[in-house]
Amino acid sequence: MRLLGLDHIAIVVRDINETVARAGDTVDGRADGERLRGGDIDLQFLLFGETRLELIEVRAAGFGMPKLKDGETAVVGHLGYEVDDLEDAKAELTRRGVVLQGEFETDEIRSVFTAPETTFGVTLHLMEHKGRGTGA
């Protein structure tokens, strides 16, 4: 298993629209791509220079990400790591006792999440970008 680097940091926010607007007003953050809506979450990537943040508005808690209540501040939802071969990473993590959940695939990536109680209390989102890694 080879980690290629940190792809993104996911932050759970109460109101994604407000957060996107304030990021632009305060630190020149800008939306990257389209808003994605699905299941119990909405997400939007933001660029701050070369750094990518993923904002997540959670409607129902899951994958170690809470639904924030009024007055609660943003929390880290997960760390997104790019790997060179997702199948190899899954096999190695399973061998090490890590529980995997929420595997999915898009036209651009294949990915899986870890159960936070098996990865030092933080959910990891492992992703293989199609065409860049050695896997499928």
Side-chain angles (χ1 to χ4, degrees), residues 7-9 11 13 16-35 43-56:
D7 183 81
H8 65 273
I9 299 171
I11 308 294
V13 299
I16 202 164
N17 292 322
E18 177 186 338
T19 304
V20 169
R22 292 187 76 198
D25 291 345
T26 58
V27 291
D28 297 328
R30 66 187 189 284
D32 181 28
E34 301 218 9
R35 174 89 44 91
L43 67 88
Q44 174 71 58
F45 282 99
L46 292 182
L47 282 178
F48 296 90
E50 296 294 317
T51 302
R52 244 172 37 134
L53 288 182
E54 178 182 58
L55 301 179
I56 302 173

Side-chain angles (χ1 to χ4, degrees), residues 45-84:
F45 282 99
L46 292 182
L47 282 178
F48 296 90
E50 296 294 317
T51 302
R52 244 172 37 134
L53 288 182
E54 178 182 58
L55 301 179
I56 302 173
E57 185 176 319
V58 176
R59 290 185 292 278
F63 295 107
M65 295 181 289
K67 176 174 178 14
L68 298 178
K69 299 178 180 96
D70 288 342
E72 290 183 317
T73 59
V75 298
V76 173
H78 63 262
L79 300 176
Y81 282 100
E82 184 177 359
V83 297
D84 65 337

Side-chain angles (χ1 to χ4, degrees), residues 1 6 12 23 27 32-33 49 51 54 60 67 75 79-80 87 89 91 98-99 101 109 120 122 127-129:
M1 172 177 76
L6 186 64
V12 177
V27 291
D32 181 28
T51 302
E54 178 182 58
K67 176 174 178 14
V75 298
L79 300 176
E87 292 305 315
V98 173
V99 175
Q101 59 188 2
I109 64 164
F120 54 89
V122 176
M127 52 195 349
E128 176 189 327
H129 289 268

Side-chain angles (χ1 to χ4, degrees), residues 121-136:
V122 176
T123 299
L124 303 180
H125 178 196
L126 301 172
M127 52 195 349
E128 176 189 327
H129 289 268
K130 293 179 180 177
R132 289 201 314 216
T134 59

